Amino acid sequence: MAKPMAAEALYLALEREFRPEECTEVFPVIGLQYHNTDAIEKVYTATFASHEVLDALEARGATDCMLFTHHPVPQKKDLFKPNPPIPESIVERLKQNRITLFSYHIPLDRNSEWSPGTNFAKHLGLHPFGEFFEQNKVRMGLLCNSGFFALKELCAAVESMVGHPIKVYPYGGETILGGKVAVMCGGADQPGIYPELREKGINTFITGIANPAIGWVNKNHEAAKAAGVTILGAGHYSTEKYAPMETVRFFESLGLAAEFIPETQMMEEM
């Protein structure tokens, strides 16, 4: 059985590995959100800090542990509003169960062996050869050789991997140029990436949030259509979950028991 680890020692190990001082953040706090126990007996990883995750932890009888999430907030219920703050009801449940909440958003997004892009690509059998898309001082997007040349075959593979239908906007046609695709998990609010990708000979882009009814996403569709770049929307959670899934291995390397907690994808995002 794994031994408990001092919380402060675990915080330092996370800082050494993910180097949060090298980036900025879109959330108010990077790293430790709520310290509720001095000794960590187990780490649970998740994509969001949500009621769904807390329910799963309570069903497991989880106490004296860390919840390590990619986002320190729940999934959006309203796609047209900013990220909601973490509800007080969740904060109180964490405190009652002595569950520390630690979140790395941008530090985890940075391309690395732990990042969403790297691990989405690995699960899909893609082979990264370059980077694109910089945000908050780090590079997050990957250029990949896919082995797929027909759009319908790539879509079928992505759907099989994430476990639900995806949404396809075939602005680049039915053929994947050179078998190359770009991956930016979660979302990509930079219309300028589409002409950049096409200049690099890439006409297929996989991301998470792709619903053109959302204002910032609609601008991306206009740019993608003009550049002839297909957008595959596979969902925010479903594209980013592979990072917290992989960080289980990081915590286990420290001698801690660790477990990933799955969530439900919001289909409206795509």
Side-chain angles (χ1 to χ4, degrees), residues 145-224:
N145 289 310
S146 74
F148 295 100
F149 295 88
L151 180 61
K152 64 180 181 180
E153 293 178 356
L154 174 63
C155 293
V158 174
E159 289 185 340
S160 176
M161 185 178 82
V162 300
H164 58 72
I166 64 172
K167 185 69 175 179
V168 184
Y169 304 87
Y171 306 132
E174 297 298 323
T175 300
I176 299 172
L177 296 178
K180 296 184 172 81
V181 302
V183 175
M184 176 58 211
C185 296
D189 187 11
Q190 290 184 15
I193 66 175
Y194 298 96
E196 174 190 347
L197 292 176
R198 198 55 197 256
E199 287 175 6
K200 297 178 184 296
I202 296 174
N203 72 335
T204 307
F205 175 58
I206 304 172
T207 192
I209 301 172
N211 185 344
I214 304 169
W216 66 266
V217 180
N218 183 260
K219 296 177 182 178
N220 288 338
H221 280 269
E222 293 174 2

Side-chain angles (χ1 to χ4, degrees), residues 67-94:
L67 174 59
F68 175 86
T69 65
H70 185 31
H71 304 82
V73 297
Q75 291 191 67
K76 289 184 179 183
K77 291 184 178 179
D78 188 332
L79 299 178
F80 305 96
K81 293 182 179 180
N83 283 299
I86 186 169
E88 284 300 318
S89 58
I90 290 182
V91 175
E92 184 58 30
R93 290 169 72 184
L94 291 168

Side-chain angles (χ1 to χ4, degrees), residues 2-3 9 20 30 39 41-42 58 108 122 151 173 193 204 212 223 233 241 249-250 252 255-256 263-264:
K3 295 182 179 180
I30 302 178
E41 296 182 358
K42 184 173 181 176
E58 290 181 351
L108 189 56
K122 182 172 72 173
L151 180 61
I193 66 175
T204 307
K241 67 180 181 181
R249 181 170 59 84
F250 169 76
E252 289 176 340
L256 285 163
E263 297 166 77
T264 304

